[in-house]
Amino acid sequence: IGKRKITYAISTVFIIIGFVSFFTKGFELGIDFKGGREYKVRFEKAVNTSDVRDALNTTLGNGTVVKQFGSANQVKITTSHLIKKTGKEVDAEVEAAVFKGLEKFIPNTSIENFKRVNLMSFTKVDPTITGDFKRSSIMATILSLVVIFIYIFIRFRRFGYSIGAIAATAHDAFVVLALFSILHGIVPFALEIDQTFIAAILTVIGYSLNDTVIIFDRLREYLSNKPNANMKDTMNAAINSTLSRTFNTAFTVFIVVFILFLFGGSVLKGFSFAMLIGVVVGIYSSVFIASPIMYDLDRNHDSYSKQEASKKK
């Protein structure tokens, strides 16, 4: 607690860096957020994604995104070609354009055989749907934070606890977002903002809250046992007494998620990477964000401590 100004400064600097990255580099938006058509295609041999992209740009227009998907002979193709038009005939036209662009990589293959053998999956998201999905994702995150605030307030009866918990969970979500913005295009795997990412953010929020509540519970226990003790010393004691449990839990979760990251395949790479970040940042925020903020915002602990002590009697 005595070093909280240093942790505040570190978090502030990272928040500034994150916002700079948001407005300059942006995000690698998935099809759920930007709309378009997505094709996952398997070839007989490994292909170069740059060559595939150049070939597809001639039939689909510039802006086609091609990424390796799983093994070296599989790619994920994302295009916004004719996305504002609807109808099965439009889908068939775009599919034919994809096949034409890929013909030299799958010689002597008909479009029917391409759809049956090479085309692994097809997904289409209209631009109108992406707006609804963005709004629902933002509302889900905000609603989760509001519910957390109410839950912490009901449980601990102090606004300082609620604000500290909300600040910690919002900090964790922001750090994951910031690193996805900063690292996309640098790491050798996709860091797309999609449905899976939103699920990871909500999971990280829940995980971080669990650590924070454990520290707050221990603090309340110590305050009820020694209502006249120094608040700073009591809070440091509460953090220290739960630290080994926090690290042990985080370590076991980290190992499981790390194995998922290594062997879960490209579909789960973004989710597991977000969880890896969240587990590490969750420890930091529970100890260095939630508790210090609660301490700074809720200085009048005497009445609360005596109230808890009287309840125990």
Side-chain angles (χ1 to χ4, degrees):
I1 296 300
K3 303 294 184 180
R4 62 190 183 279
K5 290 183 179 179
I6 297 176
T7 59
Y8 289 164
I10 293 173
S11 297
T12 301
V13 170
F14 190 83
I15 288 172
I16 293 172
I17 294 173
F19 274 117
V20 170
S21 182
F22 291 168
F23 291 107
T24 57
K25 194 172 183 180
F27 296 98
E28 186 178 355
L29 297 179
I31 190 174
D32 302 314
F33 281 94
K34 66 180 181 181
R37 293 179 174 85
E38 181 180 275
Y39 302 86
K40 294 175 182 175
V41 180
R42 179 190 297 115
F43 302 92
E44 291 184 4
K45 299 179 181 179
V47 294
N48 184 286
T49 54
S50 297
D51 294 338
V52 174
R53 183 181 61 250
D54 292 340
L56 288 171
N57 281 338
T58 61
T59 60
L60 297 174
N62 294 329
T64 304
V65 179
V66 180
K67 298 178 182 176
Q68 184 177 323
F69 178 77
S71 58
N73 69 324
Q74 296 179 174
V75 298
K76 180 170 66 175
I77 302 164
T78 305
T79 177
S80 57
H81 183 60
L82 300 180
I83 190 58
K84 294 184 179 180
K85 295 184 178 181
T86 59
K88 292 183 178 180
E89 66 281 357
V90 179
D91 292 338
E93 181 182 347
V94 177
E95 195 172 80
V98 171
F99 171 70
K100 185 177 180 181
L102 299 177
E103 272 187 312
K104 70 176 184 178
F105 302 100
I106 44 176
N108 304 318
T109 301
S110 64
I111 188 169
E112 290 77 15
N113 194 56
F114 165 75
K115 290 190 286 186
R116 186 174 61 254
V117 177
N118 301 101
L119 185 59
M120 301 166 59
S121 66
F122 162 66
T123 305
K124 176 186 175 183
V125 179
D126 291 327
T128 54
I129 297 177
T130 61
D132 294 336
F133 185 73
K134 288 178 183 177
R135 286 188 291 271
S136 62
S137 298
I138 294 172
M139 285 301 299
T141 304
I142 294 175
L143 182 61
S144 65
L145 295 176
V146 171
V147 172
I148 288 171
F149 182 92
I150 296 172
Y151 164 73
I152 296 295
F153 179 74
I154 292 173
R155 180 161 181 165
F156 295 97
R157 305 286 179 172
R158 308 291 284 192
F159 279 111
Y161 287 84
S162 296
I163 296 173
I166 288 297
T169 51
H171 170 271
D172 296 342
F174 181 88
V175 170
V176 176
L177 273 168
L179 288 177
F180 264 59
S181 175
I182 294 169
L183 296 178
H184 90 79
I186 297 176
V187 294
F189 51 88
L191 293 178
E192 290 187 349
I193 307 297
D194 53 13
Q195 295 184 50
T196 306
F197 175 80
I198 298 301
I201 285 288
L202 296 176
T203 306
V204 166
I205 288 175
Y207 177 84
S208 175
L209 177 66
N210 180 61
D211 279 343
T212 302
V213 168
I214 289 172
I215 295 175
F216 286 174
D217 266 335
R218 186 59 57 87
L219 174 63
R220 182 171 61 175
E221 178 186 344
Y222 284 3
L223 288 174
S224 63
N225 291 332
K226 298 179 180 180
N228 296 320
N230 179 271
M231 183 60 191
K232 183 183 291 186
D233 294 338
T234 305
M235 180 166 285
N236 284 331
I239 293 173
N240 289 331
S241 66
T242 58
L243 202 57
S244 60
R245 181 251 178 226
T246 299
F247 274 109
N248 289 336
T249 303
F251 179 74
T252 55
V253 175
F254 186 90
I255 291 298
V256 173
V257 177
F258 185 67
I259 292 173
L260 180 65
F261 175 76
L262 292 179
F263 303 106
S266 58
V267 177
L268 296 176
K269 271 286 196 271
F271 175 85
S272 53
F273 185 69
M275 285 299 300
L276 287 174
I277 299 170
V279 170
V280 175
V281 177
I283 299 175
Y284 173 83
S285 66
S286 296
V287 176
F288 297 108
I289 301 295
S291 301
I293 287 178
M294 188 278 288
Y295 176 81
D296 286 331
L297 295 180
D298 201 3
R299 291 298 185 93
N300 186 21
H301 300 280
D302 293 339
S303 59
Y304 174 70
S305 301
K306 292 177 182 178
Q307 181 184 0
E308 290 297 321
S310 63
K311 285 181 181 179
K312 193 173 181 180
K313 294 178 182 179

